[in-house]
Amino acid sequence: MPLQLFSRIPGRPTFPTWRQPRAGLWAVAGLAGLGFLIALEIAARHYGLPGPITTQAQEVVLAPKSGPLLYASMALMMVVLTWRERFIAVGAAIGIDIVFVLVRWAAGVEAAEGHPFGNGALWVMLGCGVIALTRRTGPERVLLLKGVGLGLLLVAGRKTGDTWLLITSKTRPVVLDQYVATADHALGDPSWLAGRVIEAAGPVPAHVLDWVYAQLAVAAVVFALYQLRHVATERRFPRHHLVRTFLAVGVLGPGIYMIFPVVGPVFAYGTGAFGTGGEHWALANLWPDVLPPSSNPQPMLYDGITPRNCMPSLHTAWATVIFIHSRRAPRFLRFAGTFWLVATLSATLGFGYHYGADLLVGVVFAITVEAALRSLARGWDRSATQLVAYGTTVFTALLLSYRYLSTDMAGRPWVFGPLLLLATASVIYGYVRTTRAWDPKPAPVRRPEPLLELV
């Protein structure tokens, strides 16, 4: 890729003085992120597996496991480029991928566990990072580095999440599924009901829901691209956007997995999925045809392979964040955001990956994180503090109630079921009311009435 094609273009607007980024803050954030990745790498190595740094470095040459995500990340990075630079970047990525495919074919190497494409996108992002350091200066360098960092952060988030899941399976041998399944009786056992509906619907709806569930990160990039569509012309990022919350949810959520380890109904009460051995460790083969018992829940020992990634449901949290950020988009994107939320909720329940209780916690978690990040962008005030504190309180109360009141909840579903829904709805109402006060709609412009001519 010729470096001069990405050189500084004369005539581009520059940042005013008050918009100059705070280099010290970015340096601290970068060092903290690097330290976090190194810690996860050491933890993964302790269990004999590569960590996020190693797996990401391998994708520079080896067949990547996240091919579509790499191209989605490159698209996110390209919001800082001009259209000419975007065409060059896409062409370079496709050309590099073709070369890799031909070399693997000539060498007789098959991409058994990865995608045949994606290396080119990663090379282009890394190349743009090099160009930013060597060919750009001042605000232009900062902007391009932010774009590269945003794209690489999305991929690093996926690798970090995979390592977190490994750590949960190795360090939390005991799971709390019996407590959550018992508490789920208060909600009418939605996972069991949705599982039977998916089975009766046939393979086509199941394939659609599975695709929606698997491509959630790519969907987030599509919505983020709309939000960031003016970055190349305005030469700056908005104060708050979808990717910030998406990444924060992915970083904070696995910490809750360590506190409240749950594997999900298809594993704890079914035959497992993807050959992970749920049939050997499950309490009984009940899901989705027979409801689990509602008395005397106990912690149960589970295998050292299956991730404890149910509480909260991060897929629900991410889909909720997409839904929130699509509300100010055009009608088509608003419809798409609603569809993605409904389809994700249907998939998480219908495939037995989550209980209904997980979904409620996921919604509260997403709204609380979103409110906190929006407050950081616009400035903290009393309403922001109250909203985040209230969301955190409800989130904690839900977890404690699942653990210590599950039997009471199952025995009095007509009381606790509405209470759980009202608690979640109160956080949603608080967010809607508070954000309307933060971002009031402009008053409609009234046209002056025509003056009556006196005859």
Side-chain angles (χ1 to χ4, degrees):
M1 184 190 307
L3 294 180
Q4 62 270 22
L5 292 177
F6 283 91
S7 61
R8 178 180 172 88
I9 297 177
R12 274 184 170 171
T14 58
F15 292 96
T17 304
W18 62 273
R19 286 182 183 170
Q20 293 294 335
R22 291 172 291 182
L25 181 62
W26 282 104
V28 171
L31 290 175
L34 179 60
F36 179 67
L37 290 176
I38 293 174
L40 288 180
E41 182 75 25
I42 294 173
R45 293 285 182 174
H46 175 72
Y47 296 108
L49 293 174
I53 298 176
T54 302
T55 54
Q56 187 61 77
Q58 290 173 344
E59 291 189 345
V60 175
V61 178
L62 302 181
K65 295 183 179 180
S66 51
L69 183 62
L70 283 168
Y71 268 92
S73 300
M74 186 185 71
L76 198 60
M77 182 270 298
M78 290 193 302
V79 297
V80 304
L81 304 180
T82 64
W83 278 108
R84 178 172 176 269
E85 293 169 342
R86 291 170 186 172
F87 284 122
I88 295 173
V90 172
I94 295 174
I96 293 171
D97 271 334
I98 292 175
V99 171
F100 270 95
V101 170
L102 292 177
V103 170
R104 292 191 187 108
W105 175 76
V109 178
E110 296 182 0
E113 297 183 357
H115 291 86
F117 59 90
N119 301 96
L122 182 57
W123 275 62
V124 167
M125 286 190 285
L126 295 175
C128 287
V130 173
I131 291 169
L133 295 174
T134 59
R135 304 290 294 181
R136 296 283 178 88
T137 59
E140 293 293 331
R141 171 184 289 177
V142 173
L143 184 67
L144 184 53
L145 286 177
K146 282 185 178 181
V148 173
L150 198 63
L152 292 178
L153 273 176
L154 192 63
V155 183
R158 168 69 67 86
K159 304 301 181 185
T160 300
D162 293 342
T163 304
W164 261 119
L165 297 184
L166 168 68
I167 294 174
T168 63
S169 65
K170 299 298 184 183
T171 61
R172 293 296 181 267
V174 174
V175 298
L176 305 177
D177 281 76
Q178 292 187 38
Y179 294 95
V180 183
T182 302
D184 226 34
H185 287 302
L187 299 172
D189 301 287
S191 181
W192 269 254
L193 175 61
R196 292 194 293 269
V197 170
I198 294 298
E199 283 188 349
V204 175
H207 285 305
V208 172
L209 293 180
D210 182 62
W211 181 82
V212 169
Y213 190 86
Q215 300 301 328
L216 186 62
V218 177
V221 170
V222 172
F223 287 93
L225 288 176
Y226 173 78
Q227 285 187 328
L228 304 176
R229 66 193 184 280
H230 297 309
V231 170
T233 55
E234 296 179 357
R235 315 310 297 159
R236 65 183 180 91
F237 281 86
R239 291 184 300 174
H240 179 58
H241 51 84
L242 169 64
V243 182
R244 298 175 77 237
T245 309
F246 201 87
L247 291 173
V249 167
V251 171
L252 298 175
I256 313 301
Y257 296 162
M258 304 292 287
I259 300 172
F260 207 110
V262 179
V263 293
V266 74
F267 296 102
Y269 294 97
T271 57
F274 310 114
T276 51
E279 67 276 8
H280 302 299
W281 293 89
L283 185 68
N285 187 7
L286 304 177
W287 187 88
D289 300 315
V290 181
L291 295 179
S294 58
S295 60
N296 194 29
Q298 300 289 333
M300 57 184 290
L301 188 68
Y302 210 78
D303 66 13
I305 302 174
T306 306
R308 280 63 164 151
N309 62 338
C310 282
M311 185 65 73
S313 169
L314 291 194
H315 268 78
T316 298
W318 284 321
T320 301
V321 172
I322 291 175
F323 176 81
I324 291 173
H325 282 262
S326 67
R327 293 309 87 194
R328 292 180 176 268
R331 180 178 299 178
F332 172 75
L333 287 180
R334 293 199 304 269
F335 172 79
T338 303
F339 166 77
W340 221 270
L341 176 61
V342 173
T344 301
L345 296 179
S346 302
T348 55
L349 293 174
F351 294 145
Y353 297 148
H354 290 279
Y355 305 91
D358 306 340
L359 273 59
L360 298 184
V361 176
V363 171
V364 173
F365 179 68
I367 292 176
T368 304
V369 174
E370 169 69 15
L373 291 179
R374 287 196 64 175
S375 301
L376 286 174
R378 64 176 294 275
W380 284 92
D381 56 17
R382 183 178 179 182
S383 62
T385 303
Q386 289 176 340
L387 177 59
V388 174
Y390 181 70
T392 305
T393 301
V394 173
F395 177 83
T396 305
L398 289 176
L399 292 182
L400 292 176
S401 65
Y402 297 158
R403 177 61 177 84
Y404 297 106
L405 297 176
S406 58
T407 305
D408 296 328
M409 296 167 71
R412 299 176 180 84
W414 61 89
V415 175
F416 286 95
L419 283 177
L420 292 175
L421 296 176
L422 284 174
T424 305
S426 67
V427 177
I428 298 173
Y429 172 76
Y431 177 81
V432 172
R433 182 177 180 180
T434 305
T435 52
R436 281 180 178 175
W438 289 347
D439 304 313
K441 293 183 179 180
V445 179
R446 294 184 179 181
R447 295 182 179 179
E449 297 181 359
L451 298 176
L452 297 177
E453 294 183 1
L454 298 178
V455 180

